[in-house]
Amino acid sequence: GAGVSQSPSNKVTEKGKDVELRCDPISGHTALYWYRQSLGQGLEFLIYFQGNSAPDKSGLPSDRFSAERTGGSVSTLTIQRTQQEDSAVYLCASSSGGVSYNEQFFGPGTRLTVL
Amino acid sequence: KNQVEQSPQSLIILEGKNCTLQCNYTVSPFSNLRWYKQDTGRGPVSLTIMTFSENTKSNGRYTATLDADTKQSSLHITASQLSDSASYICVVSARSGGSYIPTFGRGTSLIVHP
């Protein structure tokens, strides 16, 4: 596919369960971002991967959140012991480099609902 | 703290009319400013990008302006179409060490009525 893909598109889970969200960036893109978009709020930066550099985790809201990027491609965002306030749309974006003016291409998002 | 404020929060206009959306920011050190369009249920799509030295940038019926002195930007939509109904998000990037971290506004929800 030509674009960023994310799976699942929707996830409903019970409070306290762990969830994994997947992002497949555009092939060849070295930069990958995770964002969270809560209802009525702007996008909130979570984590940024650039090539083989250590990720910028400054946006992760708590230690229940973690992300990996394997082989410089696919990324997984894991939320442990989910809470109701984790309910949001989680968006992934990739770009062709770490320079800020490179356009970020967004996936369709994963809508997470924690009951 | 870096912040991006957008106004109005929502806007309803008739098809064919023009409109202007506003963005004020306090982001430092400034790197660039983008306007995104986000359709319902979709990820944002970039419309324009401006760096410090650019005052205006057009993309079809969309024209963005930037005043780096007052830290304000606007997005003007000309001859609106029904397909322009979406959320328009202003994003300002700052350099943080070796990273470029964007700060997103909450967006302006635009509804174009026939």
Side-chain angles (χ1 to χ4, degrees), chain A residues 45-49 54-62 65-67, chain B residues 99:
Chain A
F45 164 75
L46 297 177
I47 188 170
Y48 162 58
F49 296 90
D56 183 331
K57 304 179 181 180
S58 60
L60 294 179
S62 77
F65 288 73
S66 63
Chain B
S99 302

Side-chain angles (χ1 to χ4, degrees), chain B residues 27-71:
Chain B
V27 174
S28 180
F30 176 86
S31 176
N32 65 72
L33 184 148
R34 279 188 186 274
W35 282 94
Y36 282 88
K37 178 186 179 188
Q38 185 175 21
D39 293 310
T40 302
R42 309 286 293 273
V45 175
S46 179
L47 294 175
T48 64
I49 179 172
M50 289 178 291
T51 58
F52 186 86
S53 60
E54 296 176 292
N55 302 118
T56 185
K57 185 71 69 76
S58 292
N59 177 3
R61 293 180 296 102
Y62 301 101
T63 299
T65 65
L66 173 65
D67 186 334
D69 293 330
T70 61
K71 298 186 177 181

Side-chain angles (χ1 to χ4, degrees), chain B residues 13-15 82 112-114:
Chain B
I13 63 174
L14 293 176
E15 185 179 13
L82 298 179
V112 180
H113 277 312

Side-chain angles (χ1 to χ4, degrees), chain A residues 20-23 34 49 66-69 74-78:
Chain A
E20 285 189 352
L21 312 180
R22 176 186 169 106
C23 172
W34 281 100
F49 296 90
S66 63
E68 291 184 340
R69 189 177 185 193
V74 173
S75 178
T76 302
L77 177 69
T78 301

Side-chain angles (χ1 to χ4, degrees), chain A residues 1 29 36 45 51 62-63 68 81-82 87 92 95 102-103 114:
Chain A
H29 279 188
R36 178 169 69 176
F45 164 75
S62 77
D63 58 8
E68 291 184 340
R81 306 180 301 282
T82 53
S87 296
C92 172
S95 71
N102 287 338
E103 179 179 354
V114 182

